[in-house]
Amino acid sequence: MANHRSLIVLSFLFIFINSAMAKAVTYSVTTLGAKPDGKTDSTMAFLSAWAKACASVKPPVIYVPAGRFLLRNAVFSGPCKNSHITFRIAGTLVAPSDYRVIGNAGNWLLFQHVNGVTISGGILDGQGTGLWACKNSGNSCPSGATTLSFSDSNNIVVKGLVSLNSQMFHIVVNGCHNVNMQGVKVSASGNSPNTDGIHVQMSSGVTILNSKISTGDDCVSIGPGTSNLWIENLACGPGHGISIGSLGKDLKEDGVQNVTVKTVTFTNTQNGVRIKSWGRASTGFARNILFQHCVMNNVQNPVVVDQKYCPDNKGCPGQVSGVKISDVTYEESAM
């Protein structure tokens, strides 16, 4: 009997120790020096929080309280010692108002080689209006930074995030597997150049749900190497619609397959659903595509298949597109 009681006590002790080890540890960026005044450069505090979270064997939370936090371009790199890192954002992350500071960096906030990262809530303010004005004036300008990028990463969740006025693309998913985005809101002017809402390429198992995208370019753009993409319950507009492509820019190129776009409302957009490829030889393809339950409100071109894509008609190849398009279904849509 005594041995039996000892075993019970040891079992409870083992469960308690494991529970304590599994309990999340929180790193607040303000504790590490970040200032919520929108003026003080808080980049190093955020990187310090990431370094601690990445090195933690317990599931960590990086907490960003209310306020405005100024960040230059930052890279959050893995691999990490755990696969459950949460960025819980109650405040706003602000890019430098001078677009030249990060304009040639490529990315403002980049997550690379990570596994199991969740970004919950918060606002990302790219402050891109100055760069848009520069580009629209025809002057020589930086190309611009993507607000939020995930590269070569797996098991990513983005929920309840707002992206405002990105210099260039708002969110990019590149070389990733199993990415879930829910309740994302993207907002930029209808005349903001190259501000795609969400761009996916060389990735599989990506879902985009219950989101609203208003921008000056594609609401969602789907690049080469994308497979098993699911988009549902999306509001798009203004913008250029949802585009597969452009494809066929390179001779040897991975194709796009198994894409579902359903229950999407397009309002005041240039296009609805579009497939676009360059007029040149290519191994690329687009197949097994379903557009279902799409509603078009004041859409200039509800359905587009363009195999001689050439923006601004400059440097057009003028050849026959090698991109093979097959098994594309348009179902129960209202125009």
Side-chain angles (χ1 to χ4, degrees), residues 1 39 49 64 128 177 179 190-191 193 216 226 233 237 251 254 282 292 311 318:
M1 186 68 176
K39 299 176 182 178
V64 182
H177 176 69
V179 178
N191 65 356
T226 299
N233 195 21
L251 174 60
D254 292 331
S282 176
Q292 184 183 59

Side-chain angles (χ1 to χ4, degrees), residues 29-30 32-48 68-72 74 94:
V29 295
T30 51
L32 295 167
K35 303 294 183 185
D37 58 11
K39 299 176 182 178
T40 305
D41 186 351
S42 296
T43 309
M44 293 310 299
F46 275 71
L47 291 175
S48 177
R68 292 173 66 82
F69 296 87
L70 175 64
L71 270 73
R72 292 173 177 256
V94 186

Side-chain angles (χ1 to χ4, degrees), residues 99-167:
Y99 59 79
R100 293 169 296 185
V101 175
I102 64 170
N104 286 318
N107 298 287
W108 176 28
L109 307 172
L110 169 63
F111 290 82
Q112 62 181 10
H113 309 300
V114 299
N115 178 34
V117 169
T118 296
I119 298 178
S120 178
I123 299 172
L124 308 180
D125 185 353
Q127 299 214 96
T129 54
L131 181 58
W132 308 341
C134 179
K135 288 183 175 181
N136 288 329
S137 71
N139 293 330
S140 178
C141 316
S143 58
T146 291
T147 287
L148 178 63
S149 290
F150 298 94
S151 179
D152 300 314
S153 298
N154 299 320
N155 304 312
I156 304 298
V157 175
V158 179
K159 56 184 180 181
L161 179 72
V162 176
S163 177
L164 303 176
N165 300 331
S166 180
Q167 287 189 359

Side-chain angles (χ1 to χ4, degrees), residues 2-276:
N3 286 339
H4 183 65
R5 287 177 179 173
S6 297
L7 284 172
I8 293 174
V9 170
L10 286 172
S11 297
F12 274 111
L13 183 61
F14 179 76
I15 292 170
F16 175 79
I17 291 171
N18 277 331
S19 177
M21 288 180 66
K23 187 177 180 181
V25 58
T26 298
Y27 302 103
S28 173
V29 295
T30 51
T31 302
L32 295 167
K35 303 294 183 185
D37 58 11
K39 299 176 182 178
T40 305
D41 186 351
S42 296
T43 309
M44 293 310 299
F46 275 71
L47 291 175
S48 177
W50 174 260
K52 292 178 181 295
C54 190
S56 174
V57 294
K58 299 179 182 178
V61 174
I62 298 173
Y63 178 62
V64 182
R68 292 173 66 82
F69 296 87
L70 175 64
L71 270 73
R72 292 173 177 256
N73 55 298
V75 179
F76 304 96
S77 294
C80 297
K81 290 187 177 180
N82 69 87
S83 57
H84 298 283
I85 299 178
T86 299
F87 252 99
R88 186 169 296 137
I89 307 173
T92 301
L93 278 56
V94 186
S97 57
D98 182 351
Y99 59 79
R100 293 169 296 185
V101 175
I102 64 170
N104 286 318
N107 298 287
W108 176 28
L109 307 172
L110 169 63
F111 290 82
Q112 62 181 10
H113 309 300
V114 299
N115 178 34
V117 169
T118 296
I119 298 178
S120 178
I123 299 172
L124 308 180
D125 185 353
Q127 299 214 96
T129 54
L131 181 58
W132 308 341
C134 179
K135 288 183 175 181
N136 288 329
S137 71
N139 293 330
S140 178
C141 316
S143 58
T146 291
T147 287
L148 178 63
S149 290
F150 298 94
S151 179
D152 300 314
S153 298
N154 299 320
N155 304 312
I156 304 298
V157 175
V158 179
K159 56 184 180 181
L161 179 72
V162 176
S163 177
L164 303 176
N165 300 331
S166 180
Q167 287 189 359
M168 202 171 166
F169 291 9
H170 285 259
I171 301 173
V172 167
V173 178
N174 175 47
C176 297
H177 176 69
N178 191 21
V179 178
N180 184 290
M181 300 188 197
Q182 295 193 49
V184 171
K185 182 179 179 181
V186 169
S187 181
S189 168
N191 65 356
S192 56
N194 307 118
T195 53
D196 293 40
I198 300 173
H199 177 73
V200 181
Q201 65 180 27
M202 302 304 296
S203 298
S204 63
V206 177
T207 59
I208 303 169
L209 307 173
N210 308 323
S211 297
K212 178 177 174 60
I213 301 176
S214 306
T215 188
D217 211 299
D218 294 329
C219 291
V220 181
S221 53
I222 303 161
T226 299
S227 63
N228 301 319
L229 169 65
W230 189 283
I231 300 169
E232 185 173 2
N233 195 21
L234 184 77
C236 169
H240 293 180
I242 293 178
S243 293
I244 296 177
S246 61
L247 305 178
K249 196 166 187 178
D250 298 317
L251 174 60
K252 293 185 178 180
E253 184 179 273
D254 292 331
V256 172
Q257 58 187 333
N258 304 332
V259 174
T260 297
V261 177
K262 65 182 297 185
T263 318
V264 177
T265 300
F266 299 88
T267 304
N268 300 324
T269 56
Q270 184 185 85
N271 307 297
V273 293
R274 175 169 60 156
I275 302 174
K276 54 183 180 179

